[in-house]
Amino acid sequence: MSVESVSAQGFAQQSLAVLQQITESARADVARAAELIADCVRADGVIQAFGTGHSQAMVLEVAGRAGGLVPTNRLSIADLVLYGGDAPSVLDDPLLERQPGVAARLYDLAAPRPQDLFVIISNSGVNTVIVEMALQAKQQGHKLLAITSLAHTRAVPAGHPSGKKLADLADVVLDNAAPRGDALLELPGGGAVCALSTLTGVMLVQMAVAEASAVLLAAGERPPVYVSANVPGGFEGNLELEKKYAGRVRRTAS
């Protein structure tokens, strides 16, 4: 890797090349993911999206955004405080996502229904809370869509006592094509800079939503989608759409 490659243009060129690559390589898996999403919507299910760290950026792409599907719910470790009554100080623990038992509490707080689809996003796919949430979802009979880096997850040991990783448990895996460690541009003398997984993860999420919408439209069904709350009537219209899923989708200010 040359020093010249560590630049704005270097990152743009390399990341755009990966984005172009996954539009082809992920096509079959995106189609399978879209069927899971469409089936969930048809069954009046809710898409339960979960991730930690920077993977929460992709969770926000799934749940509660303009142009996205209405029956979506964001699961977060912060739910322990927001809905579970824990003291805010519990979130000060930087290793909270590696503690056993957290995922089961988050699942219970969300109270998913059997037809709900779980979308779990993790670049490494090995942290305890991620794997435990995947195990919980599968044990309760939910379908599971995973977005992860296969290059990363295959290069690191499992962090859960079961020896399982997120990709091992999913019905469908979307590979975000990020390298081990996520950073794309190698630095002279070692190390790397500029993470890739957010760009590719967002691409995969939106491809899957678009394809699921196509599946629904082909069957004569209109996808329930949000309008921007910042256009006239958008906020009120969204509230009306959410009534069907009252008590099942949670929208917070952050």
Side-chain angles (χ1 to χ4, degrees), residues 70-182:
V70 174
T72 51
N73 189 47
R74 174 190 175 196
L75 306 180
S76 168
I77 287 181
D79 293 348
L80 297 174
V81 175
L82 293 172
Y83 307 107
D86 284 13
S89 59
V90 73
L91 303 179
D92 294 338
D93 183 357
L95 299 180
L96 185 59
E97 65 186 71
R98 300 184 183 182
Q99 293 185 9
V102 172
R105 287 195 61 206
L106 296 176
Y107 181 94
D108 289 343
L109 288 170
R113 295 185 182 179
Q115 69 268 39
D116 290 358
L117 168 67
F118 272 69
V119 178
I120 301 181
I121 305 163
S122 170
N123 198 57
S124 69
V126 298
N127 280 340
T128 298
V129 71
I130 291 295
V131 177
E132 286 196 349
M133 185 66 81
L135 286 167
Q136 183 81 8
K138 295 307 297 177
Q139 288 165 2
Q140 297 298 326
H142 300 283
K143 293 294 185 180
L144 172 59
L145 168 60
I147 302 177
T148 191
S149 164
L150 291 181
H152 189 133
T153 202
R154 289 168 177 164
V156 296
H160 190 267
S162 68
K164 298 292 186 182
K165 302 176 184 180
L166 174 61
D168 300 326
L169 300 164
D171 295 284
V172 177
V173 175
L174 296 181
D175 180 11
N176 66 25
R180 180 180 184 274
D182 204 353

